Amino acid sequence: MEDDGGESSSFVVGIIENRAKEVGLAAFDLRSASLHLSQYIETSSSYQNTKTLLHFYDPIVIIIPPNKLASNSTAGVTELVDRFYGSVKQVMLARGCFDDTKGAILIKNLAAKEPSALGLDTYYKQYYLCLAAAAATLKWTEAEKGVVVTNHSLSVTFNGSFDHMNIDSTSIQNLEIIEPFHSTLLGTSNKKRSLFHMLKTTKTIGGSRLLRANLLQPLKDIETINARLDCLDELMSNEQLFFGLCQILRKFPKETDRVLCHFCFKAKKVTAEALAVDRAKKSQVLVSSVILLKTALDALPLLSKVLKDVKSSLLSNIYKSVCENEKYDLIRKRIGEVIDEDVLHARVPFVACTQQCFAVKAGIDGLLDISRRAFCETSEAIHNLANNYREDFKLPNLKLTYKNRQGFHFVIPQKNIQGKLPSKFIQVVKHGNNIRCSSLELASLNARNKSAAAECYTRTEVCLEELMDDIRENVSVLTLLAEVLCLLDMIVNSFAHMISTKPVDRYTRPEFTENGPLAIDSGRHPILESIHNDFVANNIFLTEASNMAIVMGPNMSGKSTYLQQVCLIVILAQVGCYVPARFSTVRVVDRMFTRMGAVDNLESNSSTNVSQRSLIVMDELGRATSSSDGFAIAWSCCEHLLSLKTYTVFATHMENISELVTMYPNVKILHFDVELKNNHLDFKFQLKEGSKRIPHYGLLLAEVAGLPSSVVETARMITSRISEKEVKRMEVNCLQHHSIQKAYHVAQRLLCLKYCNQDEDTIRQALRNLKESCIKEKLLS
């Protein structure tokens, strides 16, 4: 497999659908040798679920069947790929390649776990589409890359009905989860960062990828979330453990997860002529992988020492499954029989090259020892040549540098060159304040040095063949090690590090319930609070009895920021991290929908997937039409969402929307406090209960804009007449629905008591108080 040292995607995705709009998807990660299977029914005409998954995997290749099974009235997966992923390499394989029977056999042979553990064994016929996609994906990968996947080496996961929170691609942009909104317009000097960039203090590439995956698909399983939170509790209360893990994790190479693919894939047997061109490079990558694995295994005893007395279930499970696993020690000893004890993973190019040439112990292979002598002799000759040039041409600051592609070359500071550079130097290139160059002698020695190194790599690979086969037998434990290191990197170097940099108690542990309220006390925007020191904290409280909050206030009062803040806090909570709030309890969210900004994406139509556990936030519906139509659209949308019983936060500056509270007791009205001082709006950014009318703030802005005073005065007279009629009508509505409001208020209090964690005596006293207040209100009325 090719060496991929960056953080770019390495997913190959295969997709197929049937006539019932059921989609099977297989995503094969070439970097970590993992296969992710998904099968689901598309409920929206725009294939929103498929879009979300493709956005999540960000594939480098998409494999699809040639025939379009969808009817003409729907988009179809093939048309979706053509339309939205035209820049991604597309591969069409014959329908016969999408064979679910072959897919099932492949999964059974290649998965590190048994099919029954994946949930595929019992329901094989039900999941035939994703197995068909897996067959095509694996077939193309093996043919294209010239490899065979090692048996029982793949980490296979199955996501049948989205067992993570689903966030559509539009919401990911609106909430600035991965990239800041309009980052290209704001430029690189933009101080505002995304949630991902704020948390991206991970030390490994695998940890960074895991963080991104968790933010795009937060957890739904409360037990798993609490296990992560228990781990954070222990890290925050035990500084020695926290700093110890921070130091130990630095000992592991940051590419540890990538090294796995070299043990999960085995090159096909082909002729030497076919491999002649790039065999040395592939051999070098293989040798580097073994050295990298040795370095990681050498650091394991240090990790074991730090985790020995941990208490949280997550860390103790890591200690039992990894630190106490004898297989790692056996692999390390087996590597020690072939690899020199002093060899370590290095980043400096020439040091790494030397380590790779001398990785295998001396005396194992005679031809390798000869190649090493040639490598040492040419390396020494090159350094001697540099010394001669320093003396002959009076260039004491001439430096010899090495790059993997070019080999050795000279670097001379421009200030040391008097007049012209001697003609002996060739390939002269100016680079900043230095001159890069070579010479015919250096070029000749470079060629001999690279040839000797290539021979070393090739002979080393021959020596490592038996070792590689032995390692492949235990590749499943290496997969586990990579997963554990990525998880520790995310929790320790991202979550715990971020919390440790904040003042005490600024970030707190969230609580979770299956059907309880969404309550956030003194919540803050996780991104903006790091930019604005005086950020104002705000609350939210939604229950089954009060499941819609309408947030009112003029433009720039803080509504959009508040909506984004609520969503980001819920996401942070469900990835298993502390949140920026004094207190929070979250009902697990299965889907998150947002409508923010000025652009409506009518095609996405993802609201058809809303459930009672969804969280919906909407900002200013119905702006791009007349005021009456806009009001009608906003009102009807609110009524529809109220019927779904989902938690909804709706921001608007339309004052008439507040009348919903007179008809629907499960609606609450909130407003952002704004004061009028000397004909100027003073924004407090503080959320308060009830509605507050800012009298004619539009007229005030018109006055500031320079409209004639006569025009503004006429407008003021007209709007005052309209307002009088509206106030009278609202008073009548309030009187009519007063009794229903009171009943809902009592129901809401009872629901809060149902899900609270107080003792029985406290709950009984609260019930007595509620009863007394109800009787008192009845007598007064």
Side-chain angles (χ1 to χ4, degrees):
M1 301 296 289
E2 287 85 347
D3 184 29
D4 175 21
E7 293 184 27
S8 58
S9 173
S10 54
F11 277 99
V12 175
V13 170
I15 317 175
I16 188 172
E17 67 170 328
N18 62 17
R19 296 186 184 278
K21 288 185 71 174
E22 190 173 10
V23 178
L25 186 146
F28 191 19
D29 190 355
L30 302 179
R31 180 186 174 89
S32 60
S34 57
L35 181 65
H36 307 275
L37 306 176
S38 300
Q39 186 158 326
Y40 48 89
I41 296 174
E42 277 292 2
T43 54
S44 68
S45 60
S46 60
Y47 285 71
Q48 192 62 33
N49 289 333
T50 306
K51 277 187 190 176
T52 300
L53 282 176
L54 289 175
H55 185 271
F56 174 72
Y57 291 121
D58 188 22
I60 54 174
V61 178
I62 298 177
I63 301 168
I64 49 179
N67 54 325
K68 302 176 182 179
L69 293 177
S71 61
N72 294 330
S73 60
T74 58
V77 163
T78 310
E79 292 180 16
L80 172 79
V81 172
D82 289 339
R83 183 176 179 186
F84 294 100
Y85 300 93
S87 60
V88 180
K89 180 180 178 180
Q90 296 179 31
V91 176
M92 281 197 178
L93 291 185
R95 184 80 183 170
C97 297
F98 290 82
D99 188 328
D100 55 304
T101 305
K102 289 182 180 177
I105 295 170
L106 283 170
I107 297 300
K108 185 176 182 180
N109 293 335
L110 302 180
K113 294 180 181 178
E114 289 295 321
S116 57
L118 300 170
L120 290 170
D121 200 30
T122 310
Y123 305 105
Y124 158 68
K125 290 184 179 180
Q126 182 180 344
Y127 300 140
Y128 71 98
L129 282 174
C130 65
L131 292 173
T137 304
L138 290 168
K139 178 182 178 68
W140 180 87
T141 302
E142 290 188 338
E144 181 72 13
K145 304 298 180 182
V147 295
V148 176
V149 182
T150 308
N151 282 347
H152 306 298
S153 65
L154 294 187
S155 172
V156 180
T157 58
F158 178 71
N159 179 9
S161 56
F162 289 91
D163 53 359
H164 294 79
M165 184 204 297
N166 184 269
I167 311 174
D168 62 83
S169 55
T170 304
S171 296
I172 290 166
Q173 293 176 340
N174 289 339
L175 298 174
E176 300 176 294
I177 296 175
I178 303 300
E179 293 293 336
F181 209 47
H182 301 312
S183 59
T184 52
L185 298 176
L186 295 169
T188 54
S189 62
N190 178 26
K191 290 184 179 179
K192 188 176 180 183
R193 299 180 297 170
S194 67
L195 186 63
F196 175 59
H197 290 134
M198 185 193 83
L199 291 169
K200 192 185 169 187
T201 50
T202 50
K203 304 300 179 186
T204 67
I205 295 172
S208 176
R209 286 179 160 210
L210 181 63
L211 173 64
R212 178 184 180 275
N214 273 260
L215 292 176
L216 291 175
Q217 290 188 342
L219 302 169
K220 287 200 303 187
D221 182 57
I222 294 179
E223 186 178 348
T224 307
I225 296 170
N226 281 327
R228 290 185 181 181
L229 292 170
D230 291 342
C231 176
L232 278 177
D233 286 347
E234 186 170 10
L235 289 170
M236 291 298 97
S237 60
N238 188 340
E239 288 187 2
Q240 186 176 356
L241 174 63
F242 172 53
F243 289 112
L245 278 173
C246 286
Q247 292 177 351
I248 296 305
L249 289 173
R250 291 193 187 102
K251 303 283 185 184
F252 291 90
K254 73 174 189 175
E255 307 92 343
T256 302
D257 68 310
R258 175 176 55 83
V259 74
L260 281 174
C261 68
H262 299 295
F263 302 106
C264 294
F265 302 110
K266 189 173 183 178
K268 291 180 179 178
K269 297 292 183 181
V270 293
T271 60
E273 290 78 10
L275 284 174
V277 178
D278 60 348
R279 182 173 180 181
K281 181 183 176 183
K282 289 187 176 181
S283 299
Q284 182 184 10
V285 171
L286 179 65
V287 176
S288 174
S289 299
V290 175
I291 295 173
L292 204 149
L293 176 61
K294 176 185 177 296
T295 306
L297 293 176
D298 286 344
L300 259 185
L302 301 174
L303 180 65
S304 177
K305 187 177 179 181
V306 173
L307 295 178
K308 188 175 182 181
D309 298 317
V310 293
K311 297 176 181 178
S312 62
S313 60
L314 189 149
L315 293 178
S316 60
N317 285 339
I318 289 174
Y319 180 77
K320 292 173 184 175
S321 61
V322 174
C323 301
E324 291 185 343
N325 194 327
E326 296 178 354
K327 288 186 177 181
Y328 294 107
D329 194 44
L330 293 174
I331 295 173
R332 185 166 62 248
K333 288 178 180 177
R334 181 68 182 90
I335 291 173
E337 294 173 6
V338 181
I339 303 297
D340 192 275
E341 185 180 349
D342 297 327
V343 171
L344 288 172
H345 175 65
R347 295 193 177 280
V348 180
F350 185 66
V351 176
C353 176
T354 306
Q355 293 272 28
Q356 290 156 10
C357 289
F358 287 83
V360 173
K361 289 181 176 180
I364 290 180
D365 184 275
L367 292 175
L368 175 59
D369 293 339
I370 294 171
S371 300
R372 283 171 173 169
R373 279 198 293 272
F375 175 78
C376 290
E377 288 169 1
T378 52
S379 298
E380 186 178 358
I382 289 170
H383 284 84
N384 290 337
L385 179 67
N387 289 330
N388 293 337
Y389 282 179
R390 291 187 189 103
E391 294 176 5
D392 296 346
F393 301 110
K394 294 182 173 52
L395 295 169
N397 293 322
L398 180 145
K399 293 181 180 178
L400 190 65
T401 60
Y402 179 88
K403 289 191 174 181
N404 287 325
R405 287 190 177 183
Q406 295 95 336
F408 288 98
H409 59 276
F410 300 124
V411 176
I412 309 170
Q414 276 190 313
K415 61 182 180 180
N416 293 152
I417 301 172
Q418 304 296 329
K420 286 186 176 182
L421 198 65
S423 58
K424 186 174 281 288
F425 293 102
I426 60 174
Q427 299 173 349
V428 179
V429 178
K430 184 180 177 182
H431 187 79
N433 294 324
N434 299 317
I435 295 291
R436 287 184 177 178
C437 56
S438 184
S439 71
L440 291 175
E441 293 170 285
L442 179 61
S444 176
L445 288 170
N446 243 338
R448 290 165 55 192
N449 184 263
K450 290 178 78 172
S451 176
E455 186 60 27
C456 285
Y457 301 146
T458 305
R459 293 308 308 169
T460 300
E461 182 182 8
V462 174
C463 297
L464 293 177
E465 279 185 2
E466 190 176 340
L467 173 63
M468 291 293 292
D469 288 338
D470 290 343
I471 293 174
R472 286 189 180 103
E473 290 180 3
N474 294 298
V475 74
S476 59
V477 297
L478 301 183
T479 304
L480 174 64
L481 176 61
E483 290 174 355
V484 162
L485 291 175
C486 291
L487 181 61
L488 283 176
D489 186 29
M490 181 180 72
I491 292 176
V492 176
N493 290 322
S494 177
F495 297 170
H497 171 77
M498 182 268 296
I499 297 165
S500 68
T501 59
K502 307 292 182 182
V504 179
D505 294 333
R506 291 287 286 175
Y507 273 65
T508 58
R509 173 174 177 154
E511 302 293 332
F512 285 91
T513 62
E514 289 285 353
N515 299 297
L518 169 60
I520 300 172
D521 180 31
S522 298
R524 305 178 307 281
H525 195 292
I527 303 169
L528 292 181
E529 75 158 347
S530 60
I531 301 173
H532 304 288
N533 296 326
D534 56 347
F535 191 87
V536 180
N538 283 300
N539 308 332
I540 187 169
F541 187 76
L542 296 173
T543 66
E544 290 179 4
S546 181
N547 63 310
M548 176 178 283
I550 296 179
V551 182
M552 307 186 71
N555 294 335
M556 300 184 296
S557 60
K559 301 190 300 295
S560 299
T561 298
Y562 176 72
L563 297 184
Q564 198 181 60
Q565 171 184 309
V566 170
C567 293
L568 293 180
I569 288 176
V570 170
I571 289 171
L572 274 177
Q574 288 192 214
V575 299
C577 182
Y578 285 10
V579 299
R582 184 188 300 159
F583 167 81
S584 59
T585 179
V586 178
R587 181 181 76 172
V588 175
V589 174
D590 63 354
R591 289 175 176 268
M592 187 176 287
F593 300 96
T594 67
R595 191 280 174 202
M596 296 178 179
V599 179
D600 284 312
N601 186 358
L602 299 177
E603 288 185 333
S604 65
N605 193 26
S606 54
S607 61
T608 53
N609 300 319
V610 172
S611 75
Q612 289 190 16
R613 290 182 177 274
S614 299
L615 175 64
I616 300 174
V617 295
M618 292 193 294
D619 189 8
E620 304 287 12
L621 269 182
R623 285 181 296 188
T625 182
S626 66
S627 57
S628 58
D629 287 353
F631 173 72
I633 291 169
W635 185 282
S636 60
C637 282
C638 287
E639 287 190 325
H640 175 70
L641 293 171
L642 283 167
S643 68
L644 297 176
K645 298 181 181 179
T646 184
Y647 286 174
T648 304
V649 188
F650 187 99
T652 182
H653 66 276
M654 297 179 186
E655 294 178 349
N656 290 348
I657 288 290
S658 62
E659 290 187 47
L660 273 168
V661 76
T662 65
M663 299 175 64
Y664 296 94
N666 50 331
V667 176
K668 66 165 66 175
I669 302 294
L670 307 169
H671 73 273
F672 274 98
D673 192 22
V674 179
E675 291 184 2
L676 206 56
K677 290 183 179 179
N678 301 323
N679 287 337
H680 285 87
L681 294 173
D682 183 16
F683 296 104
K684 301 296 184 182
F685 303 109
Q686 186 70 55
L687 194 65
K688 293 187 176 181
E689 293 274 350
S691 62
K692 180 179 179 181
R693 190 165 178 272
I694 309 298
H696 316 311
Y697 75 88
L699 298 176
L700 183 65
L701 292 174
E703 227 170 15
V704 173
L707 285 178
S709 57
S710 60
V711 173
V712 175
E713 197 59 40
T714 303
R716 187 173 279 113
M717 290 172 60
I718 295 170
T719 194
S720 64
R721 292 173 189 169
I722 296 171
S723 299
E724 285 176 12
K725 293 179 180 178
E726 290 296 319
V727 169
K728 289 179 181 178
R729 189 166 57 81
M730 287 185 68
E731 286 176 354
V732 173
N733 284 341
C734 287
L735 288 172
Q736 289 177 346
H737 296 88
H738 179 72
S739 59
I740 300 175
Q741 286 282 352
K742 291 295 181 184
Y744 252 76
H745 177 71
V746 173
Q748 183 176 342
R749 292 286 302 276
L750 290 171
L751 277 171
C752 292
L753 290 173
K754 178 181 177 180
Y755 293 109
C756 76
N757 297 321
Q758 299 296 324
D759 58 78
E760 186 176 332
D761 291 338
T762 306
I763 294 174
R764 286 182 182 278
Q765 183 59 47
L767 287 170
R768 281 193 290 268
N769 293 340
L770 180 60
K771 181 180 179 181
E772 289 173 5
S773 65
C774 290
I775 294 171
K776 189 176 181 181
E777 285 182 9
K778 189 173 182 180
L779 291 172
L780 289 172
S781 61

